[in-house]
Amino acid sequence: MRTTRSTTKGTTRSTTRSTTRGTTRKNPITVLLTGLATILGLLVLAPGAAQAEQRPAALATGLHISGGRLLEGNGNDFVMRGVNHAHTWYPTQTQSLRDVKALGANTVRVVLADGHRWTKNTADDVAAVVAQCKANRLICVLEVHDTTGYGEDTAAGTLDEAADYWIGLKSVLAGQENYVIINIGNEPWGNTDPAGWTAPTVAAVQKLRAAGFQHTIMVDAPNWGQDWQGVMRANAQSVYDADTTGNLIFSIHMYSVFDTAAEITDYLNAFVTAKLPILIGEFGGPADQWGDPDEDTMMATAQQLKLGYLAWSWSGNTDPILDLSIGFDPKQLSTWGQRIFNGANGIAQTSKEATIYGGGTGTDTQAPTAPGTPTASATTATSTTLTWTAATDNVGIAGYDVVRVNGTTETAAASSATNTVTVTGLTGATAYTFAVYARDAAGNRSARSATVSVTTSPGGGTPGVSCSVAYRVVGEWQGGFQGDITLRNTGTTALTNWTLGFAFAGGQTINNMWGGTPTQSGANVSVVPASYTATIPAAGSVSVGFIGAKGATNPAPTTFTLNGTTCTTS
């Protein structure tokens, strides 16, 4: 989790019930240190591959590590695809586990507290969380959040205290090795002397093993989880070797430090080459004033290397730009949420249920039934909404793949976790033919549905029918600020290919934007959507965010129009 004392990318995070993105600004010294750490990491990790291959077989009590891979107790490979959920601050939002499962997740990382900094989650509460994970056929990663930023944030607890907390929970965790991974402590070291991370991490792992824990244990990196100085990378082999069972997995958190493809692929490949298990335990995508995380490369590389990823976070962030769902509502996914669940290499497309629940290859070989014939609605020049009767399966439907059919050729058009999707990126006055496949968690694919033919309109989108706009400043600094605009369709007809208009009153200018493309002439700004925000469903919303420049004042715009219609403001 990213908690900061402010919403800027600082080095510490707030003690509020929140998660904002905070990292360290890169400077020439940082770059030099990072380069040296990278070289050292390669030198240290290179011989580790041979060491990992020569280890005795790990104890296969349940989820375990073998050959640098996370496996289930039956030996099947398991790749985590899921999200983080802030349970300790929102203990009544228990339906969230059901909701993320319905969207296709196979794993949830659950925020807990050991009492050092936040109210302690009791053994009964943790047992209930595990039961909910199992009832919703999810693998449960449990983490203590009180350790966040130790060494830099004076409020943070230690890994040793976190280990004692886990030992106090042994009675409810023993026997759950097939379902539970123990993440000892979240981001357990800040940017102050990150080399101090190694010894306490080893000691905490060994303390849990001495107490009899056979679960797979997860350890987070220093530098607030982002390891930009390469300490975890350089010491990973020695930390791994300190675990007598070999059932240890490393977690890297990727935010704006990881804003280039080279940084992401280099880091992940170093561990894979060394046969040291790793996943992306947290990551963000929306940009801020410190950079723009390259979530596309994170997700694509994780899929290519068959590594797990867990997006931050389901809902409840102080900075809602990182909320995957708005107000814990699975029907109100944010732009970030749509990217994670329904985008390329997203959860709906790549997640496979754990075989302990009947998913995965080797236990479920029965394909789903074919979906019903899709019907088209709300067709515009560039998009159409398709809806079909849901398929059925002996275990459960994981998602649907929509294809464009041209003779005997099929082209992927969209993916969805439900039986409806909006296909975007179409050309006006053009005929298209679409069909749908269903797939289950084991990867079995149904027969193709019957086809539907759609002809897009000549051009333009639907006019603004009824709308409201919420504008807010996420954070400010000298000469700049980050803004967020939520557009809500309060009417009964989907809005498509919208254009948002407003004017700045304080001389502000937009430098870059996500979720839309701005055009600015003096004070006047016009925004057209990105492909994934092009349609605003009836009673739905989309968000765009931006980084701007400002002078001494930063007044908010007072009037917004959508497709020429003046919207209410909130």
Side-chain angles (χ1 to χ4, degrees):
M1 175 191 89
R2 327 296 315 261
T3 47
T4 63
R5 289 179 184 160
S6 68
T7 55
T8 61
K9 294 180 71 174
T11 56
T12 58
R13 304 166 222 202
S14 79
T15 57
T16 61
R17 295 165 59 181
S18 72
T19 61
T20 60
R21 296 177 301 154
T23 65
T24 300
R25 180 195 293 271
K26 296 181 182 178
N27 55 46
I29 295 175
T30 298
V31 172
L32 175 61
L33 289 171
T34 304
L36 290 172
T38 298
I39 294 170
L40 290 171
L42 288 173
L43 292 174
V44 172
L45 288 179
Q51 294 174 6
E53 290 172 351
Q54 295 169 6
R55 289 186 69 90
L59 297 175
T61 302
L63 288 160
H64 64 285
I65 303 299
S66 180
R69 305 289 305 165
L70 176 64
L71 307 180
E72 293 190 68
N74 59 11
N76 282 356
D77 203 69
F78 182 68
V79 179
M80 284 183 265
R81 288 286 183 269
V83 304
N84 288 264
H85 171 53
H87 170 74
T88 198
W89 301 308
Y90 300 98
T92 63
Q93 297 292 342
T94 54
Q95 81 288 345
S96 294
L97 301 188
R98 178 198 65 207
D99 294 338
V100 300
K101 175 63 179 182
L103 289 165
N106 65 19
T107 304
V108 62
R109 181 172 179 256
V110 180
V111 177
L112 300 176
D114 64 10
H116 178 88
R117 187 170 183 176
W118 291 289
T119 302
K120 180 178 180 179
N121 293 94
T122 66
D124 287 345
D125 182 47
V126 175
V129 168
V130 173
Q132 290 159 13
C133 283
K134 293 167 71 175
N136 288 287
R137 304 162 74 91
L138 291 162
I139 296 301
C140 214
V141 178
L142 304 176
E143 61 101 342
V144 163
H145 218 79
D146 306 67
T147 57
T148 305
Y150 179 80
E152 185 172 356
D153 191 328
T154 56
T158 67
L159 281 171
D160 186 65
E161 290 169 331
D164 286 339
Y165 174 71
W166 294 120
I167 291 170
L169 294 175
K170 187 178 179 183
S171 62
V172 300
L173 297 178
Q176 304 299 330
E177 292 85 356
N178 278 306
Y179 309 96
V180 171
I181 293 173
I182 298 174
N183 189 178
I184 303 178
N186 181 72
E187 300 178 3
W189 211 275
N191 293 323
T192 303
D193 187 27
W197 165 90
T198 305
T201 299
V202 167
V205 171
Q206 292 180 334
K207 190 171 192 175
L208 292 181
R209 295 303 184 209
F213 282 84
Q214 297 183 36
H215 303 70
T216 292
I217 290 175
M218 184 182 295
V219 295
D220 283 7
N223 296 126
W224 300 91
Q226 295 201 81
D227 201 30
W228 59 267
Q229 289 177 281
V231 171
M232 185 172 82
R233 177 170 170 170
N235 293 278
Q237 188 66 60
S238 63
V239 173
Y240 182 78
D241 290 341
D243 182 359
T244 54
T245 73
N247 293 331
L248 185 77
I249 188 168
F250 297 93
S251 174
I252 182 68
H253 293 184
M254 290 186 167
Y255 293 91
S256 296
V257 165
F258 291 91
D259 55 5
T260 68
E263 290 168 319
I264 295 160
T265 57
D266 175 68
Y267 195 93
L268 296 176
N269 273 294
F271 279 77
V272 172
T273 299
K275 293 192 175 180
L276 289 168
I278 190 168
L279 84 155
I280 306 173
E282 286 185 21
F283 68 106
D288 60 22
Q289 69 271 23
W290 295 100
D292 185 359
D294 186 358
E295 71 275 15
D296 291 340
T297 298
M298 295 176 202
M299 296 166 72
T301 304
Q303 180 65 9
Q304 176 193 0
L305 299 176
K306 298 182 179 179
L307 302 179
Y309 67 65
L310 304 172
W312 189 273
S313 80
W314 177 238
S315 200
N317 292 283
T318 293
D319 181 358
I321 196 171
L322 282 172
D323 283 356
L324 295 162
S325 68
I326 300 170
F328 294 93
D329 183 354
K331 297 180 181 178
Q332 296 291 326
L333 293 183
S334 65
T335 301
W336 173 226
Q338 289 287 358
R339 174 69 188 92
I340 289 299
F341 286 102
N342 299 321
N345 300 303
I347 288 173
Q349 189 180 86
T350 66
S351 177
K352 293 185 178 181
E353 188 177 79
T355 61
I356 193 69
Y357 298 120
T361 58
T363 57
D364 179 13
T365 59
Q366 182 175 326
T369 62
T373 304
T375 59
S377 62
T379 301
T380 69
T382 60
S383 67
T384 187
T385 297
L386 301 177
T387 305
W388 54 90
T389 301
T392 59
D393 185 68
N394 62 316
V395 176
I397 300 296
Y400 296 90
D401 299 319
V402 177
V403 295
R404 195 171 73 196
V405 181
N406 184 6
T408 60
T409 302
E410 293 182 357
T411 305
S415 295
S416 176
T418 65
N419 63 327
T420 186
V421 71
T422 298
V423 181
T424 59
L426 307 182
T427 302
T430 303
Y432 293 90
T433 300
F434 296 102
V436 185
Y437 291 93
R439 51 185 160 74
D440 62 20
N444 300 310
R445 203 181 198 198
S446 73
R448 195 176 80 185
S449 74
T451 60
V452 62
S453 295
V454 179
T455 300
T456 54
S457 59
T462 55
V465 177
S466 182
C467 55
S468 69
V469 173
Y471 175 94
R472 68 190 188 90
V473 173
V474 175
E476 292 188 71
W477 55 96
Q478 185 174 359
F481 70 106
Q482 179 179 334
D484 180 82
I485 307 172
T486 299
L487 295 71
R488 182 170 294 277
N489 177 4
T490 57
T492 59
T493 304
L495 298 175
T496 58
N497 302 319
W498 47 265
T499 298
L500 173 70
F502 62 92
F504 284 119
Q508 303 99 316
T509 57
I510 294 177
N511 295 335
N512 61 73
M513 177 175 283
W514 52 97
T517 302
T519 300
Q520 184 165 356
S521 177
N524 296 315
V525 179
S526 177
V527 179
V528 296
S531 61
Y532 52 90
T533 58
T535 298
I536 312 178
S541 65
V542 297
S543 295
V544 296
F546 64 91
I547 300 299
K550 69 176 183 68
T553 62
N554 189 21
T558 57
T559 303
F560 296 86
T561 62
L562 200 62
N563 289 2
T565 297
T566 300
C567 303
T568 61
T569 56
S570 58

